Amino acid sequence: PLPGTVLLDDLVRFCEHPVRTYVRERLGLAPDQDDPWSDDLPIDVDPLGRWAVGDWVLRQRLLGLPLDRVLVAARDRPELPLGPGGDLALVEIVAGVEAVTAAAEPFLAPGQRGTGPPRAVPVSVELACGTRLAGAVPGVRGSTVVRLIYSRLGPKHRIRAFVHLLALCAGAGEEPGDDGWRSVVVAHTETKDGPGADVLQFPALDAGTAARALDGLVRLYAEGRSRPLPLPLKTSYAYAEQRLAGRETVGLAYAARQWRDGRESKAVGEFDDVFHVRVWGPDAPFEVLTAEAAAGDPPHRFGQLALWLWTPILRAGRS
């Protein structure tokens, strides 16, 4: 049954990891390991430590602290080793942070059109299914949701930014600027020339389109609370991206690689996510996702769900 009210935060968390919602709400279980394949952990030497320091430095810079003060304080972070190795790592991390903040300047600079101090904007919208979506969208500057991250841009960031935009366009408690609501993600990346930034922008949508999309997501949320959906985030994104480019076979291959890849004789991927293991068991093959047949093209529920979820996000996003 559809709930009377769905909180925006709960809907976002479901979109980021549908099976986690099922395991926690339907089975009442909470495995110790949570989100082990988060997009917030870049693959690098000591990735967790680099991310922790980079995230901390980024937050201090957003608060307006001078770079020299941030450097002094960051050098005492426990994640950084003593000696030249720690100094070099910090220089690299700070360079990445500065690349992100530089790319974000048009969305952060005081006096620029549509910007301002970050705030949370309340949202409330009555959907066609009879459910009310309520909550607040954080990090709004002017009419733009701005999120800066010291990590590579991944599906998790894309879907969060898009759902927040949908909520604002469909039911924000205030009026936007002349250009309407927008959502922007600025992420750290590495290029051949050194640290850089990826900027993903979602332009405004009309209220009706946004409400219909939210209605579909809430219906999927209700279904996902009652049974596990074959919709792992990175795996489904990989499939949809290739399928929309007209590459069905490649899409299945890319999805299978995201689900389970072999590196140095050790299989890694979303199959090993603790919540997926709880539902499909250890060492589950990619075929567990495509086992449920569906009428149409693609002929499996996994493919149809992936395309339904990611098509509007991939088409709306502008880099």
Side-chain angles (χ1 to χ4, degrees), residues 115-142:
T115 63
R119 68 192 190 285
V121 174
V123 296
S124 179
V125 56
E126 298 290 339
L127 301 173
C129 62
T131 297
R132 183 174 73 95
L133 180 71
V137 176
V140 181
R141 297 173 182 264

Side-chain angles (χ1 to χ4, degrees), residues 112-284:
Q112 294 292 324
R113 184 179 182 185
T115 63
R119 68 192 190 285
V121 174
V123 296
S124 179
V125 56
E126 298 290 339
L127 301 173
C129 62
T131 297
R132 183 174 73 95
L133 180 71
V137 176
V140 181
R141 297 173 182 264
S143 300
T144 305
V145 190
V146 183
R147 188 180 183 201
L148 277 62
I149 51 175
Y150 184 79
S151 61
R152 58 192 174 186
L153 180 64
K156 176 178 178 179
H157 309 121
R158 295 174 187 271
I159 202 163
R160 175 179 286 264
F162 190 69
V163 174
H164 279 163
L165 176 66
L166 293 177
L168 286 172
C169 292
E174 60 183 73
E175 293 296 322
D178 294 339
D179 297 329
W181 298 109
R182 294 186 303 161
S183 188
V184 174
V185 182
V186 184
H188 171 246
T189 189
E190 288 291 337
T191 72
K192 63 180 181 179
D193 299 319
D198 286 327
V199 180
L200 177 68
Q201 301 186 56
F202 290 105
L205 300 169
D206 68 82
T209 298
R212 286 190 293 272
L214 288 171
D215 185 82
L217 286 174
V218 166
R219 292 175 188 270
L220 191 67
Y221 168 74
E223 181 184 355
R225 296 174 69 193
S226 63
R227 72 186 191 104
L229 298 177
L231 196 60
L233 197 70
K234 295 181 181 180
T235 302
S236 61
Y237 177 84
Y239 173 80
E241 185 178 38
Q242 295 300 317
R243 176 60 192 262
L244 287 176
R247 297 187 285 265
E248 164 69 13
T249 303
V250 174
L252 287 171
Y254 274 47
R257 188 179 303 167
Q258 284 292 340
W259 178 250
R260 184 186 180 99
D261 193 9
R263 299 177 188 171
E264 297 179 358
S265 301
K266 180 180 180 181
V268 295
E270 285 188 306
F271 86 101
D272 206 25
D273 178 287
V274 66
F275 296 98
H276 294 154
V277 170
R278 175 70 68 172
V279 168
W280 287 299
D283 300 320

